[in-house]
Amino acid sequence: MKTLEIKRVLVPIDFSEVSLNALESAIAICKIQLSTLTLIHIVENNFMLFSQELSGLNGNILSDLMKIAEDQLSKLAKKIRVKHDIVVNHIVQPGNPADETCMFAVQKQSDLIVIATHGTSGFREFFLGSNAYRVVKNAPCPVLTIPGKSSWTEFRNILFPIRMVPNAFEKYDVVRPIIRRNNSSLLIAGFIQLKFPTGFVEMKEKVDHYKNIVLRDDVICRSEVHTCDNVAKKVLSISEIERPDLIVITATLDEKLKDFFIGPYTQTIVNHAHFPVLSIRPEINRDLVSPTPVTSSAEDGFNLYKPNIVAGV
């Protein structure tokens, strides 16, 4: 896997406090990575249906909502440009927030999506905020989830969990630019379930090997191996002790229902972590995405594409 260059950062904005906190983290990343920032606001489907029902009585409500959002987002983008001196684009369009975000990320080849784990609705789906869940599941690029009402502007201490899964270390190449630009230190933590005690030695060898790779990059690195009943819960326990600025995980999908559900490991960590989580799909490769054109009524004329993403395991 080639080292990821974070040049295009996409942030879904619903103007809630949590999404604006996630925006602060995205701005910090753009400034240090010299990236372009794109803000996207989606007028949700329920407003579209409502506007269609009442359009004959009160005019085009959807159009009015789009104009209001466009004005708000335009002002926000201008404020960021002036204050932080970075390139900022923005787009407002109707649809499902998570689906449209992923479609846009495909079409514009976003390198990173930064999203809050909970939005204005407060609705949860399978332990994750519904929009964050769908983005983590379907995004064609890594997704950084920012929990609650906090924001992180530095990522100096990184927790890097390792499990006995194929290509467990491939996500290091994805996070490498963040490590380099933030002068980060890394904790590589290997995890073996108690029901597989013979795997401890193999995991120790893997962790030591990975540590040597990181040290060759002149990165401060520690390593440790843990046995546990539940890997996700153990990762969360260690995060409470280490207080990392970032947890980096492979966003696996459920083996039995991979077309529908993020696996319980990913669900548990992203939902319950008190720290940012960078979720990376295995073998990230834009060749795995087959764009299919979809109709869009976006006012700025962007042609969006619906991603046909090959599920990771």
Side-chain angles (χ1 to χ4, degrees), residues 149-218:
K149 298 181 179 181
S150 300
S151 62
W152 278 260
T153 56
E154 293 184 337
F155 302 97
R156 295 190 179 276
N157 301 309
I158 298 178
L159 175 58
F160 201 95
I162 296 290
R163 297 178 294 155
M164 280 296 190
V165 296
N167 304 316
F169 199 64
E170 69 175 12
K171 56 186 180 290
Y172 174 69
D173 285 331
V174 176
V175 80
R176 182 180 282 163
I178 295 177
I179 294 172
R180 288 175 171 173
R181 294 294 181 99
N182 286 269
N183 294 319
S184 308
S185 63
L186 204 64
L187 171 58
I188 301 176
F191 296 89
I192 289 293
Q193 290 182 297
L194 290 173
K195 60 184 178 181
F196 302 118
T198 57
F200 186 90
V201 173
E202 182 181 354
M203 175 57 75
K204 181 65 167 59
E205 292 175 350
K206 285 181 179 292
V207 167
D208 289 343
H209 174 67
Y210 298 151
K211 180 180 179 180
N212 288 332
I213 293 175
V214 173
L215 291 174
R216 287 199 293 269
D217 273 353
D218 293 324

Side-chain angles (χ1 to χ4, degrees), residues 18-186:
V18 291
S19 75
L20 294 177
N21 281 328
L23 174 60
E24 290 299 316
S25 296
I27 291 170
I29 291 172
C30 288
K31 290 173 71 174
I32 200 168
Q33 301 288 337
L34 304 178
S35 310
T36 296
L37 175 65
T38 299
L39 312 179
I40 184 169
H41 175 80
I42 308 300
V43 179
E44 296 191 56
N45 291 327
N46 55 335
F47 290 120
M48 294 171 64
L49 293 173
F50 183 65
S51 68
Q52 290 171 2
E53 293 175 359
L54 299 182
S55 60
L57 299 175
N58 297 324
N60 192 336
I61 295 178
L62 174 60
S63 178
D64 291 342
L65 290 172
M66 295 278 289
K67 289 178 181 178
I68 292 171
E70 168 64 29
D71 182 60
Q72 287 182 284
L73 202 61
S74 177
K75 289 179 180 178
L76 179 59
K78 181 178 179 180
K79 180 180 178 181
I80 295 170
R81 288 189 203 101
V82 173
K83 182 177 180 179
H84 298 285
D85 191 27
I86 60 176
V87 178
V88 185
N89 302 311
H90 71 280
I91 178 173
V92 175
Q93 79 171 52
N96 176 280
D99 293 345
E100 297 297 331
T101 297
C102 291
M103 291 178 193
F104 187 86
V106 170
Q107 194 247 343
K108 293 299 179 180
Q109 294 189 322
S110 299
D111 300 308
L112 178 69
I113 297 173
V114 181
I115 187 171
T117 52
H118 304 289
T120 52
S121 68
F123 176 75
R124 289 190 174 195
E125 179 182 15
F126 303 109
F127 307 109
L128 265 173
S130 58
N131 289 330
Y133 170 86
R134 291 172 69 97
V135 171
V136 171
K137 174 179 179 290
N138 292 318
C141 60
V143 178
L144 176 62
T145 48
I146 306 295
K149 298 181 179 181
S150 300
S151 62
W152 278 260
T153 56
E154 293 184 337
F155 302 97
R156 295 190 179 276
N157 301 309
I158 298 178
L159 175 58
F160 201 95
I162 296 290
R163 297 178 294 155
M164 280 296 190
V165 296
N167 304 316
F169 199 64
E170 69 175 12
K171 56 186 180 290
Y172 174 69
D173 285 331
V174 176
V175 80
R176 182 180 282 163
I178 295 177
I179 294 172
R180 288 175 171 173
R181 294 294 181 99
N182 286 269
N183 294 319
S184 308
S185 63
L186 204 64

Side-chain angles (χ1 to χ4, degrees), residues 173-295:
D173 285 331
V174 176
V175 80
R176 182 180 282 163
I178 295 177
I179 294 172
R180 288 175 171 173
R181 294 294 181 99
N182 286 269
N183 294 319
S184 308
S185 63
L186 204 64
L187 171 58
I188 301 176
F191 296 89
I192 289 293
Q193 290 182 297
L194 290 173
K195 60 184 178 181
F196 302 118
T198 57
F200 186 90
V201 173
E202 182 181 354
M203 175 57 75
K204 181 65 167 59
E205 292 175 350
K206 285 181 179 292
V207 167
D208 289 343
H209 174 67
Y210 298 151
K211 180 180 179 180
N212 288 332
I213 293 175
V214 173
L215 291 174
R216 287 199 293 269
D217 273 353
D218 293 324
V219 175
I220 297 173
C221 183
R222 296 181 291 132
S223 64
E224 53 193 37
V225 178
H226 301 269
T227 56
C228 57
D229 288 316
N230 185 297
V231 174
K233 289 182 178 179
K234 187 64 176 179
V235 171
L236 292 173
S237 175
I238 291 174
S239 73
E240 292 298 326
I241 297 172
E242 296 290 336
R243 313 294 295 178
D245 302 310
L246 184 64
I247 303 172
V248 183
I249 65 171
T250 300
T252 55
L253 303 184
D254 187 273
E255 290 291 337
K256 296 178 181 178
L257 299 167
K258 62 176 61 179
D259 290 334
F260 300 97
F261 301 106
I262 291 176
Y265 172 78
T266 305
Q267 282 186 11
T268 301
I269 293 177
V270 174
N271 182 64
H272 294 289
H274 295 142
F275 312 96
V277 177
L278 182 64
S279 302
I280 301 169
R281 293 277 295 279
E283 297 183 356
I284 292 171
N285 186 335
R286 288 193 175 93
D287 292 337
L288 296 180
V289 181
S290 301
T292 302
V294 297
T295 302

